[in-house]
Amino acid sequence: MPVNLAVTFTGLRFENPFLLSSAPPTESDANIMRAFDAGWGGVVTKTIGLHPVVNVAGPKTKFLRADADSPRVSMQKRPGTALHSSWNWELISDKTLDWWVPRIARIKQAHPNRVLVASIMAGSGSDEELQHWQTLARACQDEGADALELNLSCPHMDRKDMGSNIGKDQGLISIVAQAVKEVSRVPVWAKLTPSTTDIVEEARAAFLGGADAMSSSNTFPSLPLIDPETLDFEMNVDGLVSSGGLGGPAILPLSLAKMAQLTKAFPDKAFSGIGGVSDFDQALNYFLLGCGTVQVCTAAMLDHAIGPTVIKTLVQGMRATMEARGWNTLEDFRGLRRDRVVSHSEIRRPDSKTYRGGYDAEGYAPTPASSSADR
Ligand SMILES: Cc1cc2nc3c(=O)[nH]c(=O)nc-3n(C[C@H](O)[C@H](O)[C@H](O)COP(=O)(O)O)c2cc1C
């Protein structure tokens, strides 16, 4: 049987399981059309809201790079470095719902078989705010959006009833999910924040509210580094900085840990993995933990703004891996490693005769007993 990359996720058919996540690559209809032409199976729009949005003066995103031959990590562009992460303090779309509405319709007319997910966000402090969620949901689905993703996870909101501040409050999560489900005819995904002590509880609250899937992770709260020469933050406005979000390679293991908690707690539910993916070997981690789709931001931003090379690499990598292993569809390997993540006490210990206190591993000083003369 030939390899089939198509998947069904929350009842929607995707040509392949790779989406551009809600971020600059999906901030306009022009970008989204280019993304579909390039081969992305789906796209989540930049988050759409009803409140006015004004971004900070100056750059909204920069990239940290690591030297190969020194411990230096810095936003300064220099040759011979590898991407470490993205750092951003960009808010949601600064375009209005009225701007988005005709564009959602045009994108769907041009690409009826690709999946367009509308990311939406409002407050949650009053009935009026909850109605904003419903207004956004109705407007986007009426124009043809195939699903809604609730942004419960933007890490740089001052408002206590928005973004990751909702995502840390199980009560608000349930209320928002329920309010959107009341009016939605399309699947509802909830994008959770990794900035919480027990993401399983937040997911449970979203599922209780009726959400059909969880997306994780949004960026991790973080600061830019301080330049040792100038003593200024590498990214600042008038010398000032506030907490922003870390994405890209550095968050892959962090986000996987969150995802493992989620897929183990809810093995029969739908999950979309996000964080640090630029090729199939990385995406495979999310699939093996049980995810049904994977989303990409940072890698696409650095590849002609919408990731034409990234999607080609993901699709080729998935096909090659499946052919080599004799897998026909994603269902042949989704979740294969979910049950290998266990509590620490379930990990086998060496028998006491051979135990050397762990001191012969990289990063530990040799003890006299395990010095080279003894070995
Ligand atoms: C500049 C920038 C803007 C973003 N804006 C949004 C947004 O509007 N809504 C949202 O849900 N996530 C937003 N994100 C988060 C990404 O969708 C994604 O969750 C995160 O970057 C992790 O994926 P990555 O490691 O592939 O970058 C943004 C990320 C970046 C870097």
Side-chain angles (χ1 to χ4, degrees):
M1 227 185 7
V3 159
N4 181 4
L5 268 49
V7 298
T8 301
F9 183 77
T10 60
L12 302 168
R13 185 191 178 277
F14 291 73
E15 200 167 285
N16 63 61
F18 305 113
L19 292 86
L20 279 177
S21 70
S22 176
T26 65
E27 69 186 5
S28 67
D29 48 331
N31 271 14
I32 294 173
M33 301 268 205
R34 277 180 61 215
F36 283 145
D37 289 339
W40 290 95
V43 155
V44 186
T45 66
K46 176 80 188 160
T47 301
I48 308 167
L50 289 178
H51 58 285
V53 172
V54 182
N55 274 294
V56 298
K60 293 171 283 184
T61 318
K62 280 195 181 176
F63 301 92
L64 279 116
R65 294 185 165 85
D67 287 8
D69 49 8
S70 87
R72 186 168 177 225
V73 175
S74 164
M75 285 176 176
Q76 272 177 27
K77 279 194 179 155
R78 54 212 194 278
T81 54
L83 181 67
H84 172 277
S85 54
S86 61
W87 187 86
N88 90 89
W89 52 4
E90 176 176 291
L91 299 172
I92 66 169
S93 178
D94 52 13
K95 306 283 195 301
T96 62
L97 178 61
D98 287 345
W99 186 90
W100 273 103
V101 156
R103 286 168 175 81
I104 290 174
R106 277 206 292 275
I107 296 165
K108 275 311 291 183
Q109 274 157 19
H111 294 279
N113 298 325
R114 298 299 172 93
V115 178
L116 181 63
V117 183
S119 169
I120 57 174
M121 175 201 267
S124 54
S126 65
D127 285 352
E128 197 188 339
E129 292 281 2
L130 290 174
Q131 280 160 17
H132 287 168
W133 284 100
Q134 297 184 326
T135 303
L136 289 161
R138 280 200 193 95
C140 295
Q141 73 183 5
D142 287 353
E143 297 304 320
D146 299 292
L148 301 165
E149 187 178 83
L150 313 182
N151 183 340
L152 307 176
S153 46
C154 177
H156 23 267
M157 310 289 305
D158 286 349
R159 278 181 58 168
K160 289 281 170 257
D161 68 332
M162 262 195 181
S164 59
N165 294 326
I166 298 184
K168 291 173 199 162
D169 183 320
Q170 293 159 40
L172 288 182
I173 293 172
S174 272
I175 288 169
V176 167
Q178 222 171 332
V180 174
K181 281 299 281 189
E182 264 172 31
V183 300
S184 63
R185 300 184 309 269
V186 296
V188 174
W189 308 357
K191 186 165 175 181
L192 300 176
T193 176
S195 168
T196 169
T197 42
D198 190 355
I199 198 166
V200 169
E201 293 312 316
E202 276 79 38
R204 195 184 315 280
F207 284 132
L208 277 175
D212 301 284
M214 299 299 128
S215 307
S216 179
S217 293
N218 206 316
T219 49
F220 285 66
S222 53
L223 286 179
L225 301 183
I226 296 173
D227 182 322
E229 296 294 321
T230 63
L231 301 190
D232 273 327
F233 288 96
E234 287 195 313
M235 211 159 151
N236 69 77
V237 174
D238 307 327
L240 301 178
V241 74
S242 77
S243 180
L246 200 75
I251 72 164
L252 174 64
L254 305 177
S255 182
L256 288 176
K258 294 288 175 187
M259 189 49 78
Q261 280 183 273
L262 291 170
T263 57
K264 281 184 69 69
F266 307 102
D268 300 327
K269 297 285 192 182
F271 293 96
S272 189
I274 318 175
V277 170
S278 61
D279 76 9
F280 183 70
D281 289 353
Q282 295 146 1
L284 181 62
N285 285 271
Y286 287 103
F287 294 134
L288 290 174
L289 287 178
C291 291
T293 56
V294 161
Q295 304 184 27
V296 178
C297 166
T298 299
M301 287 182 77
L302 290 168
D303 172 27
H304 303 89
I306 54 107
T309 315
V310 174
I311 183 59
K312 212 169 282 166
T313 309
L314 285 167
V315 164
Q316 281 169 357
M318 182 166 179
R319 182 165 286 124
T321 303
M322 289 172 70
E323 279 169 2
R325 294 191 175 270
W327 293 330
N328 297 318
T329 72
L330 175 63
E331 289 311 302
D332 290 339
F333 60 103
R334 194 172 64 80
L336 272 189
R337 288 293 174 266
R338 179 175 45 220
D339 296 335
R340 297 278 184 101
V341 185
V342 295
S343 55
H344 196 273
S345 56
E346 289 176 73
I347 305 291
R348 184 173 60 82
R349 267 53 181 171
D351 69 40
S352 54
K353 266 197 234 124
T354 57
Y355 189 53
R356 302 167 80 100
Y359 288 108
D360 42 8
E362 185 183 22
Y364 292 88
T367 56
S370 66
S371 67
S372 55
D374 290 340
R375 292 185 191 179

